[in-house]
Amino acid sequence: MTIQHSQCGGADHFSRRTLLKAAGGLPWLTPLAAQLAAAAAADKSGAPAKSVIVLWMQGGPSQLETFDPHPGKMIGGDTRRISTSAAGVEISHLMPSTAEVMNRIALLRGVTSKEGDHERATYNMKTGYRPDPTLLHPAIGAVMCHELFSTGVEIPRHVSIFPNQWPAHGGFLGNKYDAFKMDDPLGDLPDLPRRVADERFAQRRKDLDILERSFTRGRRSDLEQNRTLHLSTIDKAITMMNSEQIQAFNIEDAPQSLRQDFGDTPFGRGCLCAVQLIETGVRCVEVTLSGWDSHINNHELQSGRAAELDPAFSALVRLLEERNLLKSTVVLCGGEFGRTPKINPAGGRDHWPHGFSVALAGGGIRGGACIGETDPAGSKVTPDIAGSVGIADIHATIYQTLGIDYHHMYDTPIGRPMAISEGKPIAGILA
Amino acid sequence: MWLRNLLFLGICGIAVSAVVGGLVVPQRPPQVAEIAHPLDESQQNEIQLVADRVDEQFQQVWSDAGLEIALPADELTQIRRISLGLTGTVPSLEEIRVLESRPAGDRLSWWLSKTFADRRYGDFVAERLRRAYVGVENGPFLIYRGRRFLTWLSDQLMENRRYDQLTRELISDNGLWTDAPAVNFVTATIDQDGTQRPDPVKLAGRVTRAFLATRLDCVQCHDDNMGGDLKQSDFHELASFFREAENSFVGIRDDTKAIYEYQYLYDDQTTTVASQVPFNQDLLQEGATERERLANWVTHPENRPFARAIINRIWAITTGKPLIEPVDSIPLSGSFETGEYPPGLEPLADDFIANGFDLQRLIRVIVATKAFQRDSQANFEITAAHEETWAAYPVTRLRPEQVIGAIQQAAALKTLDAESHILTQLINFGEHNDFLKRYGDAGEDEFAEQGGTIPQRLLMMNGNLVKERTKDNLLRNSATRLAILSPDPAAAVEVAFLTTLTRRPNQAEADYFVERLRDDSLNPRQKVEDLIWALLNSSEFAWNH
């Protein structure tokens, strides 16, 4: 494998104005903001985005109860339609707060895929590739950390909040690019506080060095560098434990009113934490909201999920904008597939990869754009659907906004060249 | 009434005492010496002859490449490799003491006999095979019984069932997923959202990878455009053998009228696909059902990919690294002489086929080879080439199950096995699952080379399990008992090394840690706790070597 590994780093990748603002006006944020803001200069307009937040709707949200309602039609169910801040775009009445910020959000209503199984479709959406038995493809966050340089970040640059069973992973790029997994950002991260006093911990580290010297003696000289990464991960872990940046993982100090804006649900807190992490220099944060798999009682289940998503998504967009991070952060909100137009005998909707919705916002995305539509009768499937886009196209679009050459070919471990994305950017939603 | 209450309280008291007593007081003296016997001399010689044939090929590779060869590893290191590979944990102090009380000469053979009689062997190796056969997901609700399947696989291993017979059952058995657990190989592929039938495509992919180490699924969507000669039709013709399998109220059965249709790339219409095997067609015989025909072909003694596939996997399970990588991709034809096959593979296949597909014999041969017994350290510079050709034993990452198994065993002194107290087993089971969740399961692709990660290091340094397993606790932790019961610091250091790393400290380590334990300014229990913490956090603990 001849993958060129570039270290993630570079103060250039932080939003300087954001950091200035954060340092001055939001005192609970990490000191890194102030530190980096000192070196800040004005944002270059048109500069590529630097970060991605993936709001992952595990289970497959219904397009009909979120972004593509068809009230009054046989397929529409109980959902009504409301107007939004984007001219001509109407969404479900279950998403009123999101409707208010729709002029910052682009909608893809004609997303299609060939994967109707949760695991395979999740893989497809998170990596841009369908599952391939010979190769484990990297997720967006892993590619970003591999491709984009960073410095000054002492915490993992790829984070998954409420990771569920299929979190974003490094694939063939290696598990050092896996997302760092965490749960509710209330309280300390587990495993971060050291269990003994500083002095005793330092002594333990010295004890460990004695053992490491024995182990490396007479073994491969590149064992640590090319194989175990044992000491380097210990060092990084200790750096993280000692870093003030770990405050970004905790939202307890955020103002209560701000937490309320996000809904103060686990998912809402995860979204608020995502903003803090992005602000600290993390490249990609995935926040999962599970429970969309509504094979029974569709409306009740989808309403409950939407009630949790709506305040969090809209507050996330607003807060990113307030902190001048929206231009540099791409936000994706979507799940692995949609739900069937037909309501089944149990009042549920089943899996439907033939036409569903994905929302995108932020860096390089044209707010208020809306592409594609599903058939009101619910009968049309790929490729007849209007404005149809594939999963790989969404990935190519995001890489384009990040300034990543998505045509770039990786030499994979099986010796087969593979493009970062085989999709095509969706011109209609690019700013 | 008061008499009845008293009687009830008495019974409760006895029950509690029994439970607590079982935890505190050893229930049995070490019996391990009596449960296993090494092979007799002639059997051992026969194994060694096969191992020598394997080593001849390794020797040729080392000579041709001009590679120096590492010396044999010490006995305890080899014992650690066997335990980690076949039971997923390190030897207990109790086991090491018994081993060292045996006469030298047949200890490896005895250790293997003891291992094959230990339920941990069946359970651990079954889990490795289960991943290859059906993956790690929970599978379709109710109609896939993963736990039952795993137990059945473990039973087969404990009985040392012929591997060809076991495989035939997996591919062709009928019945309910509970009564005939082998059918879970088929039920694991049932699509709940679609046809509710077993999926021939998934099954074809599994069969070729798991039993033939051939990635025929690469041509599922189009002909091989990487220089191979496999066609898309090869894959679907093989999938067609599973067309008859259906799920019914009596479990898996065969509907002999079923057909398999597929729309090939560039075709406008679907085609009815007849069953055919992609190579060695002359070995395909008639059978009662299509699945039986396929099972007989897969396991035919002349169908050598079948033997090569399990040999490569068992080599990987036993040592941590396959002979040929990836573990499920071996060229269909070629030879050692012309470079397609690694040293050892063909001699092992000859012996495996000639001796009734005997997995335990295969493991004994592997362990008897010089390749298995090489040290991973040497007084010359070890390079990647040494590890790749087994001129030096390759350092490989322990799977998460091995890490947690080793932590639990290291903290126990006594052997943790199926004979351990039920409460101990329950606690360990809970800890095991929590640890895997946080450390990260390696999934199906468990032999891929991966380095450590930050969350893993944080878990080991600050996590609850290591804390619980090193803190002051007289009942469950070796650290406390070492601090209290060791006659002197040197003895404590030696036992700490034996229980965690299965070796004694070298002079520099002994000098350093004995001095640390003698430091009067520290709490004695905390000093041992710190020592065990460092040992558990070392590279040596987390890697097979």
Side-chain angles (χ1 to χ4, degrees):
Chain A
M1 193 164 71
T2 56
I3 294 167
Q4 294 295 313
H5 173 226
S6 52
Q7 294 293 317
C8 253
D12 285 350
H13 289 293
F14 293 97
S15 169
R16 293 167 177 128
R17 258 188 288 163
T18 300
L19 293 170
L20 275 170
K21 187 173 178 183
L26 301 164
W28 73 91
L29 290 177
T30 76
L32 179 72
Q35 182 192 328
L36 292 171
D43 262 343
K44 292 175 191 169
S45 76
K50 305 169 181 73
S51 322
V52 169
I53 295 175
V54 177
L55 304 183
W56 181 249
M57 306 295 110
Q58 182 70 50
S62 168
Q63 68 281 9
L64 295 154
E65 273 70 44
T66 53
F67 295 115
D68 191 15
H70 287 287
K73 306 286 191 310
M74 189 183 291
I75 66 171
D78 299 330
T79 306
R80 299 192 305 278
R81 192 157 57 193
I82 56 172
S83 58
T84 71
S85 58
V89 179
E90 294 180 316
I91 64 171
S92 155
H93 77 283
L94 300 169
M95 309 280 287
S97 298
T98 307
E100 291 174 16
V101 292
M102 209 63 218
N103 57 347
R104 279 88 146 180
I105 296 171
L107 278 186
L108 300 170
R109 281 174 166 164
V111 183
T112 62
S113 90
K114 293 182 176 173
E115 301 295 351
D117 166 79
H118 289 291
E119 184 177 7
R120 291 179 62 87
T122 300
Y123 182 100
N124 193 187
M125 273 296 282
K126 290 191 176 182
T127 68
Y129 282 87
R130 295 176 71 188
D132 177 337
T134 62
L135 197 60
L136 198 60
H137 299 89
I140 293 175
V143 173
M144 288 176 71
C145 286
H146 187 268
E147 294 296 312
L148 300 178
F149 194 68
S150 303
T151 54
V153 186
E154 296 169 344
I155 57 178
R157 295 158 298 149
H158 185 196
V159 175
S160 181
I161 304 176
F162 308 117
N164 210 283
Q165 68 262 58
W166 302 302
H169 55 69
F172 64 76
L173 295 178
N175 60 355
K176 64 183 170 183
Y177 293 106
D178 286 354
F180 178 86
K181 292 172 269 187
M182 61 177 283
D183 289 324
D184 200 323
L186 278 178
D188 293 325
L189 278 183
D191 306 336
L192 261 184
R194 53 174 58 91
R195 298 283 187 159
V196 294
D198 291 357
E199 194 181 340
R200 194 170 159 205
F201 189 85
Q203 182 60 53
R204 284 181 166 192
R205 184 72 181 81
K206 283 184 195 164
D207 295 349
L208 191 53
D209 283 341
I210 298 294
L211 298 169
E212 293 305 306
R213 277 204 283 280
S214 295
F215 188 66
T216 52
R217 193 174 302 122
R219 291 197 165 93
R220 283 174 59 170
S221 55
D222 64 345
L223 194 63
E224 163 68 25
Q225 185 187 350
N226 288 332
R227 185 67 68 79
T228 67
L229 306 173
H230 194 85
L231 289 178
S232 58
T233 50
I234 283 181
D235 288 343
K236 283 180 187 165
I238 291 175
T239 299
M240 183 176 168
M241 286 160 59
N242 293 333
S243 173
E244 292 184 344
Q245 293 176 15
I246 59 174
Q247 293 171 49
F249 288 111
N250 190 329
I251 56 107
E252 274 182 333
D253 292 337
Q256 193 60 34
S257 60
L258 189 61
R259 283 169 56 174
Q260 290 303 330
D261 287 347
F262 280 79
D264 208 12
T265 58
F267 179 70
R269 292 191 287 271
C271 287
L272 176 53
C273 179
V275 177
Q276 295 185 176
L277 289 168
I278 293 295
E279 204 153 28
T280 309
V282 169
R283 284 282 177 202
C284 182
V285 184
E286 170 187 79
V287 192
T288 298
L289 177 60
S290 297
W292 294 92
D293 197 18
S294 54
H295 288 283
I296 54 169
N297 292 336
N298 176 74
H299 192 77
E300 189 180 322
L301 278 169
Q302 296 286 332
S303 303
R305 297 296 81 191
E308 202 161 334
L309 169 65
D310 184 50
F313 186 18
S314 52
L316 178 95
V317 170
R318 282 200 181 97
L319 188 60
L320 286 171
E321 188 165 47
E322 275 173 36
R323 296 188 185 174
N324 213 9
L325 286 168
L326 192 57
K327 281 184 183 170
S328 60
T329 307
V330 183
V331 182
L332 180 150
C333 175
E336 61 266 45
F337 37 59
R339 315 298 307 181
T340 46
K342 185 180 175 187
I343 296 176
N344 68 27
R349 297 188 191 270
D350 302 314
H351 302 177
W352 184 253
H354 308 297
F356 59 102
S357 302
V358 166
L360 287 162
I365 301 295
R366 187 157 63 86
C370 182
I371 291 183
E373 58 179 324
T374 50
D375 177 48
S379 60
K380 290 184 182 173
V381 296
T382 307
D384 302 331
I385 190 167
S388 169
V389 297
I391 306 297
D393 298 331
I394 299 172
H395 282 249
T397 306
I398 293 173
Y399 289 129
Q400 171 107 330
T401 67
L402 293 164
I404 291 175
D405 175 13
Y406 60 90
H407 294 302
H408 174 73
M409 305 294 277
Y410 285 135
D411 287 331
T412 63
I414 59 169
R416 190 174 69 198
M418 192 210 79
I420 289 180
S421 172
E422 291 179 342
K424 196 169 64 177
I426 306 160
I429 61 164
L430 286 170
Chain B
M1 182 61 80
W2 65 269
L3 193 59
R4 235 171 63 188
N5 287 343
L6 196 63
L7 187 64
F8 177 73
L9 285 174
I11 291 170
C12 289
I14 290 167
V16 170
S17 305
V19 168
V20 175
L23 288 176
V24 178
V25 182
Q27 293 298 292
R28 58 192 165 89
Q31 301 287 320
V32 279
E34 297 166 14
I35 62 168
H37 302 281
L39 298 184
D40 64 35
E41 196 176 335
S42 69
Q43 290 170 316
Q44 192 56 39
N45 287 342
E46 192 186 330
I47 295 288
Q48 194 57 54
L49 276 176
V50 187
D52 290 346
R53 282 202 292 277
V54 171
D55 280 327
E56 277 173 28
Q57 293 192 340
F58 277 106
Q59 186 60 55
Q60 190 177 327
V61 169
W62 299 332
S63 301
D64 291 350
L67 292 171
E68 278 189 86
I69 311 159
L71 294 170
D74 66 72
E75 194 174 57
L76 280 182
T77 298
Q78 294 181 43
I79 293 291
R80 179 180 187 265
R81 290 173 188 169
I82 295 170
S83 287
L84 283 170
L86 301 180
T87 65
T89 187
V90 290
S92 67
L93 183 66
E94 175 190 37
E95 289 173 315
I96 293 170
R97 297 293 191 218
V98 176
L99 176 89
E100 294 191 328
S101 70
R102 289 192 59 80
D106 65 358
R107 287 178 183 169
L108 284 188
S109 173
W110 173 80
W111 190 259
L112 281 170
S113 297
K114 171 186 149 349
T115 300
F116 292 142
D118 185 335
R119 189 75 205 191
R120 291 178 297 175
Y121 158 72
D123 291 348
F124 186 75
V125 176
E127 174 59 24
R128 311 271 73 78
L129 296 180
R130 189 260 290 256
R131 286 168 188 245
Y133 298 156
V134 294
V136 293
E137 297 305 327
N138 291 331
F141 184 57
L142 282 181
I143 45 182
Y144 169 66
R145 293 297 174 93
R147 175 58 50 184
R148 186 79 187 86
F149 184 60
L150 195 60
T151 306
W152 176 81
L153 270 177
S154 179
D155 289 344
Q156 309 307 301
L157 291 166
M158 296 309 293
E159 290 171 19
N160 199 26
R161 182 96 184 277
R162 278 178 67 114
Y163 187 65
D164 56 339
Q165 290 176 0
L166 185 160
T167 306
R168 276 202 290 276
E169 263 184 56
L170 289 170
I171 295 174
S172 63
D173 207 9
N174 283 322
L176 278 171
W177 36 93
T178 45
D179 291 348
V183 301
N184 285 290
F185 175 73
V186 171
T187 62
T189 69
I190 289 175
D191 178 5
Q192 290 185 96
D193 298 315
T195 62
Q196 300 289 333
R197 289 179 73 96
D199 185 339
V201 167
K202 282 186 187 167
L203 286 164
R206 292 276 188 211
V207 162
T208 48
R209 276 189 176 229
F211 302 128
L212 302 170
T214 301
R215 295 187 166 190
L216 193 65
D217 42 5
C218 293
V219 293
Q220 178 187 337
C221 304
H222 51 73
D223 295 345
D224 190 347
N225 52 19
M226 297 291 289
D229 56 3
L230 288 169
K231 305 280 186 209
Q232 193 185 4
S233 54
D234 289 327
F235 179 83
H236 293 283
E237 284 167 0
L238 191 107
S240 181
F241 281 102
F242 287 102
R243 67 179 185 267
E244 296 177 346
E246 68 170 11
N247 186 36
S248 70
F249 67 97
V250 291
I252 296 298
R253 65 181 178 189
D254 296 286
D255 165 17
T256 54
K257 291 184 181 136
I259 58 168
Y260 179 67
E261 290 184 314
Y262 188 76
Q263 184 176 347
Y264 285 119
L265 187 66
Y266 307 125
D267 281 2
D268 294 330
Q269 291 182 325
T270 57
T271 310
T272 300
V273 182
S275 49
Q276 181 54 275
V277 291
F279 52 86
N280 288 344
Q281 284 91 350
D282 56 313
L283 304 179
L284 185 62
Q285 308 294 323
E286 290 306 309
T289 67
E290 287 297 289
R291 287 192 294 138
E292 283 181 11
R293 290 178 73 212
L294 179 67
N296 290 335
W297 171 79
V298 166
T299 59
H300 195 290
E302 291 174 41
N303 198 13
R304 290 178 69 86
F306 173 63
R308 291 185 195 121
I310 187 63
I311 288 166
N312 200 35
R313 191 168 291 279
I314 290 291
W315 186 287
I317 289 169
T318 309
T319 67
K321 178 181 162 69
L323 273 172
I324 184 166
E325 294 177 282
V327 68
D328 54 4
S329 183
I330 302 175
L332 287 171
S333 60
S335 71
F336 164 69
E337 287 72 20
T338 51
E340 289 84 3
Y341 296 139
L345 185 60
E346 290 302 85
L348 286 170
D350 290 337
D351 187 65
F352 186 58
I353 295 166
N355 287 280
F357 299 90
D358 181 340
L359 290 175
Q360 290 187 5
R361 178 185 169 100
L362 171 64
I363 293 168
R364 284 188 184 278
V365 173
I366 292 171
V367 169
T369 62
K370 289 188 173 64
F372 177 85
Q373 296 178 4
R374 294 297 91 186
D375 204 338
S376 61
Q377 286 180 304
N379 55 10
F380 55 84
E381 185 177 350
I382 291 178
T383 65
H386 288 91
E387 289 198 345
E388 280 162 16
T389 58
W390 298 80
Y393 194 86
V395 174
T396 57
R397 179 181 67 147
L398 291 188
R399 285 177 285 276
E401 297 95 329
Q402 293 169 316
V403 176
I404 172 66
I407 294 171
Q408 289 174 328
Q409 184 57 74
L413 298 182
K414 268 172 57 63
T415 309
L416 296 175
D417 57 17
E419 302 301 317
S420 300
H421 194 285
I422 184 65
L423 280 186
T424 303
Q425 291 191 54
L426 283 174
I427 292 167
N428 286 346
F429 181 72
E431 282 179 348
H432 186 98
N433 291 342
D434 288 345
F435 185 86
L436 288 191
K437 197 173 162 191
R438 295 195 57 75
Y439 197 83
D441 193 313
E444 288 177 58
D445 198 17
E446 57 184 349
F447 299 113
E449 277 190 16
Q450 295 276 14
T453 65
I454 294 172
Q456 287 173 353
R457 289 299 103 216
L458 287 170
L459 182 64
M460 291 298 291
M461 289 194 294
N462 306 324
N464 200 43
L465 181 78
V466 172
K467 172 68 184 169
E468 288 296 317
R469 283 286 171 268
T470 52
K471 75 173 187 183
D472 215 1
N473 183 333
L474 190 57
L475 291 184
R476 302 191 64 205
N477 288 340
S478 55
T480 310
R481 276 176 284 170
L482 287 183
I484 295 172
L485 302 174
S486 294
D488 57 58
V493 170
E494 178 176 298
V495 170
F497 270 74
L498 279 173
T499 52
T500 51
L501 305 183
T502 323
R503 69 170 174 89
R504 292 178 170 78
N506 61 37
Q507 195 58 51
E509 290 164 337
D511 291 348
Y512 175 84
F513 285 110
V514 168
E515 191 59 34
R516 286 265 295 125
L517 294 194
R518 285 196 176 124
D519 183 348
D520 290 337
S521 65
L522 297 169
N523 174 322
R525 295 189 186 188
Q526 286 187 349
K527 286 183 290 190
V528 180
E529 184 182 328
D530 288 349
L531 166 62
I532 305 263
W533 181 94
L535 289 162
L536 295 182
N537 274 283
S538 66
S539 298
E540 187 169 349
F541 183 78
W543 291 73
N544 197 0
H545 49 82

